Amino acid sequence: MNKLELMKTANEVRKGIVTAVYNAKSGHPGGSLSAADIYTYLFFEEMNIDPADPKKADRDRFVLSKGHTAPGYYSTLANRGFFPVEDLKTLRHTGSYLQGHPDMKHIPGVDMSSGSLGQGISAAVGMAISAKISGDDYRVYTLLGDGEIQEGQVWEASMLAGFKKLDNLVVIVDNNNLQIDGPIDEVNSPYPIDKKFEAFNFHVINIDGHDFDAIDAAFKEARETKGMPTAIIAKTVKGKNVSFMENQAGWHGKAPNEEEYKIAMADLEKVGEALCQK
Amino acid sequence: MSEVKKIATRESYGNALAELGKLHDDVIVLDADLAGATKTGTFKKAFPERFIDCGIAESNLMGVAAGIATTGKVPFASSFAMFAAGRAFEQVRNSIGYPKNNVKIGATHAGISVGEDGATHQCNEDIALMRTIPGMVVISPSDDIEAKAAVFAAYEHQGPVYLRFGRLAVPVINDNPDYKFEIGKGIVLREGKDVTIIANGLEVSESLEAAEKLAADGIDAKVINIHTIKPLDEELVLAAAKETGKVVTVEEHSVIGGLGSAVCDVLSEKCPTQVLKIGVQDVFGESGPAKELIKKYGLDAESIYNKVKEFVK
């Protein structure tokens, strides 16, 4: 995919997020929207995956460590062909396979159940270690929230990943700077994030998480990095491209009402139209 | 009893892992800086490339094991019961239990017989914790033979299994040709008509000894070894309750939430029976030699004998 196609796809992913959360009447739109470009790049460009064979043995693995942003994950998987986009409207409904947080037992394309913060990265490390033991060459990706890295388990996992020189592992931190209670550096600052991962023997790349050129370069650099895992610290905007959600901590875990839903979709339609002019 | 061979079930765990590793190259063993104590060092020596020391980080240990399980290998995540079931409870629940990841948890140093390390290390709550996780199999073997059989059965079982082992050397009691281990199936070790004693772990040998003493007093106690607390052998428990009336449970665990509670759950619903629960009461332990603590907290054969005698009067 070229850059323009990726941008258009990410916009469709964002529409899916807003639609899913609106229909669920609950969920986490803010951090889903901030990571939409990263999700899109990973699933449409970077990873060796096949929607027709979600469990194929040599597939690359993805673990959504910040599991509450499942709407972003699901919308990406749906748009990539793992399940019908229409099903996004069943998010969080009783009986739906689209659980509030990722469920590996029931959702095609989901490699690990997650949602309890700090736990996903450990599973990703386990997958990467397993590949090293058996000599498999699949790669493992995990997306963390910047607030999530306040969890001690993140650093237990990172210590092991660095020590084991897991160059088949890429940790992406969605650095949108907001958590439920407010700006991350006003709650309990995790900064400097890059220096922390460096200290745990990661190759660290800082990027603008909405710039596909930068995202592309970072993942290529990660592939070329040998002997150590890579951490990509992606600076993003929470609620990206929905005018009233951008940079608002209040939109971490709240669904839009009907009026807000219409405004959000109109915002995204506008983004889409602008992309078509390019 | 001095002639009886004794071995700690944690030793059996290490030995069984090494044997299992020889047969199956998908066995991966993880530990958290306790390989010498949990005895996974035996596996590490034989198969260093399949041994992962996560360091002192039990939460991560469980998550790493879960990740490995998703790739089709069979990880045995090992630590002391206090940390495996206690500290990492939420990781076990959410990363292993909920997704039904095929992880085997080898928890050693369970119960009050950890001894001198005292209350912080004496996990009398692990069975209660693990039993509440949907789908989790919970096994507390009574001796060397059963512990090894449990490890092999856990490997064959698809899904999460919690294996509980002790620090203290315990008598080998299952050394007989009829012995057969099956997850979820209890074993009748002694027939009797006056009372049923249901035990697991090191309390099986203590209960057998107590039953001998009771027999000398004319009290005929049936003794059942329930090595699997979950799924519980309901059929066997119900049949015994109907046959003998009174039931006694004996465990090196809190009387809250463990074997005694599991047995009462079944009996209260399907065959209301008077039950005496012998175990650690609602208290924390203390430092001391294991044997002394077992006696002090009323878990030795003599204490069991006295309590059962009083109970059947």
Side-chain angles (χ1 to χ4, degrees), chain B:
Chain B
M1 296 289 279
S2 60
E3 297 297 309
V4 178
K5 187 184 162 201
K6 285 189 174 185
I7 180 167
T9 51
R10 64 185 165 123
E11 297 261 8
S12 323
Y13 177 54
N15 293 337
L17 287 178
E19 281 177 39
L20 200 60
K22 246 181 266 174
L23 299 172
H24 307 284
D25 60 12
D26 57 357
V27 172
I28 308 288
V29 175
L30 301 96
D31 209 308
D33 194 42
L34 291 169
T38 62
K39 300 297 173 189
T40 60
T42 314
F43 181 92
K44 179 187 179 180
K45 207 173 155 193
F47 308 103
E49 71 287 357
R50 286 191 270 142
F51 178 82
I52 302 158
D53 201 327
C54 292
I56 310 162
E58 295 80 9
S59 305
N60 183 49
L61 166 93
M62 294 303 169
V64 170
I68 289 172
T70 68
T71 67
K73 298 186 178 76
V74 186
F76 281 75
S78 324
S79 185
F80 288 180
M82 183 54 77
F83 314 128
R87 179 180 299 225
F89 174 77
E90 201 219 338
Q91 282 75 12
V92 172
R93 180 190 184 274
N94 284 336
S95 290
I96 296 172
Y98 172 52
K100 295 188 169 59
N101 276 320
N102 195 26
V103 176
K104 316 305 165 187
I105 300 164
T108 67
H109 296 65
I112 204 151
S113 61
V114 172
E116 290 85 347
D117 279 344
T120 58
H121 284 55
Q122 292 161 347
C123 194
N124 296 313
E125 303 86 5
D126 55 332
I127 289 173
L129 288 165
M130 291 296 111
R131 199 161 80 82
T132 59
I133 297 175
M136 179 68 73
V137 169
V138 183
I139 300 173
S140 175
S142 59
D143 74 349
D144 176 54
I145 288 165
E146 195 159 279
K148 279 187 189 158
V151 171
F152 278 79
Y155 173 82
E156 296 297 337
H157 176 85
Q158 276 299 312
V161 178
Y162 181 81
L163 296 158
R164 182 186 218 235
F165 304 110
R167 172 175 178 264
L168 182 71
V170 292
V172 175
I173 54 173
N174 291 302
D175 192 11
N176 74 66
D178 295 335
Y179 174 80
K180 188 165 142 264
F181 182 91
E182 195 181 334
I183 290 175
K185 288 285 170 207
I187 299 169
V188 178
L189 292 173
R190 192 178 198 287
E191 288 296 350
K193 58 182 186 337
D194 299 327
V195 62
T196 299
I197 301 176
I198 300 176
N200 63 23
L202 64 77
E203 292 305 329
V204 176
S205 57
E206 298 291 341
S207 296
L208 280 172
E209 207 180 314
E212 291 296 324
K213 292 164 78 76
L214 288 164
D217 289 352
I219 298 168
D220 202 6
K222 183 182 179 90
V223 178
I224 297 177
N225 166 16
I226 291 282
H227 50 65
T228 307
I229 299 100
K230 190 183 173 188
L232 190 76
D233 190 342
E234 292 192 10
E235 205 182 330
L236 185 63
V237 169
L238 283 167
K242 281 173 190 159
E243 189 186 330
T244 66
K246 293 185 172 183
V247 168
V248 179
T249 58
V250 194
E251 60 193 312
E252 192 203 1
H253 181 275
S254 170
V255 289
I256 300 170
L259 172 69
S261 296
V263 166
C264 287
D265 284 353
V266 175
L267 294 182
S268 63
E269 276 187 13
K270 296 179 180 167
C271 177
T273 306
Q274 197 183 357
V275 178
L276 170 68
K277 291 193 288 180
I278 298 177
V280 178
Q281 299 302 311
D282 193 15
V283 294
F284 287 105
E286 63 184 88
S287 292
K291 281 283 182 195
E292 285 179 29
L293 293 177
I294 286 168
K295 195 175 169 67
K296 178 162 181 181
Y297 289 85
L299 303 173
D300 64 320
E302 180 77 18
S303 305
I304 297 165
Y305 159 73
N306 288 327
K307 286 176 195 168
V308 176
K309 200 173 165 186
E310 181 69 19
F311 182 59
V312 296
K313 248 206 290 198

